[in-house]
Amino acid sequence: MASVPGTPHSTPHSTPGTKPRSKPNDTRKVAVATLIGTTVEWYDFFIYATAAGLVFSQLFFKPAGEEFATLVTFASVGLSFLFRPLGAFLAGHYGDKIGRKAMLVLTLLLMGGATTLIGVLPTHATAGIWAPILLVLLRIIQGISAGGEWGGAVLMSVEHAPRNKRGLFGSFPQLGVPLGMLLASGVTALMTGVISPGDEFIEWGWRLPFLLSIVLIVVGFLVRMSVSESPVFEEIAEKKKQTQMPIVELMKNHWKLVILAALVFAGNSAAGYMTTGGFILNYSTNPDGIVALDRTDVLLAVSGSAALWFVFTLISGFMADKIGRKKTYLIGFACLALTVYPLFWLINTGDLGMLFLGMALFTVGLGLTYGPQAAWYSEIFPASIRFSGVSVSYALGAIIGGAFAPTIAQALVAATGSTTAVSGYLLLMVILAASATLMLRDRPGIDLSIRNQAEQEVGATIFDKRRGVSTDDAVSTDDAVYAEPRS
């Protein structure tokens, strides 16, 4: 490659004309901060799904009748997903204009406030129709917050990370999801098994996990306020390169990429929400069902599977840096395809150990198709609209895959009398996601800076044969990047 006189060579921690990347200590601090923040955020989100699978049909939707109340309860879990795009649009718009950090703090406070208020809501027995209405409104606020939070967390982590470790550092905010699930199921198991067993949990014990959120939010707030802004956004702001309408530009020029990225996540989301959405918990503890296991025992099994999900998500971060994001995803989807039927075969034995084994096997694919997501999403969208791109793709993927997966599963069981159709539904979603994965290109190590926007704009899919201009081949000015011919 021809060199350009007077132009510094790019390094893993700098680009021509830009400030150095984050120092290693700052990078680790940001990674830990995003892990803590997303753990708190997803604890709030999952504690609703956990309570929904156990008691909300009785406390808020009982007049609808037993079977329909369960469907409505799971629908309330999925309803929040419909509002994730709103959160993604708002956080993406302002995250690309005023910064990643501000959006992270705002979404954390929004989620925590809604969760705490759920803990003091009156039930249908005391407030009538207003009880489920208020519950659903607060769940919608949770959905808006979740839709906006994820994009900011992953960009803070990935944009601070060294080029050759983006997969690993990008997996840290992803780890907050299984940790949030572990915390939610663990706290609920403590309530049902020790502090408020039996009827006491239905009477008052379910409220305490929601009220605990206020403590966790204070911790998360202090941690997130302590980290520095993303160096990529600092450069964007310094050069005054903020896009006026990032969402408009995203949907005008990159809508195909958004759809493919959303479909990639849809497979993981549909599979993951069998557990995190409360379906397996409800199905396996229903006293009138074929499994009918103890509530606390199943919660502990769910906690154990969340711990394994954490492990395989972390492993996938290393794999993504070693063999690539795309290969890691395809291995993960193959694992999911092989376990969607054994999962329910093992659960239907009615044996607690077999239930845990089924979920443990299932978490291998879940982790491998979740850890690389932050790095891959960040590398396929241009810098000026990256927050909007990753947030909207994630939110749409959650709707397509996870939003109503528990409701669909419940309806399939009610219609067929077995879980075979549920496994078939999950297999279909996995195949769809794997197909979308094959249509995207791996771009590990691509310069994420705003000065490399020309290269970032093209070539993210296998259908796009255009070649962008890399900063490694360019002369940079404050206004443009000019191609330097290869020798």
Side-chain angles (χ1 to χ4, degrees), residues 38-64:
T38 51
T39 298
V40 173
E41 185 96 7
W42 287 102
Y43 165 84
D44 287 351
F45 198 76
F46 289 147
I47 202 66
Y48 183 99
T50 302
L54 294 175
V55 298
F56 278 179
S57 61
Q58 303 173 54
L59 297 176
F60 291 92
F61 303 104
K62 190 174 182 178

Side-chain angles (χ1 to χ4, degrees), residues 253-258 260 326 379-382 438-443 446 453-469:
N253 298 322
H254 303 281
W255 63 270
K256 294 178 183 177
L257 184 57
V258 169
L260 288 176
K326 189 171 183 174
E379 290 166 341
I380 62 176
F381 286 104
L438 291 169
M439 297 179 195
L440 290 176
R441 280 203 178 101
D442 229 342
R443 307 208 292 187
I446 187 174
Q453 178 103 351
E455 184 183 16
Q456 298 160 13
E457 288 277 358
V458 298
T461 74
I462 61 173
F463 309 109
D464 190 347
K465 306 300 184 183
R466 295 173 296 170
R467 176 184 173 273
V469 181

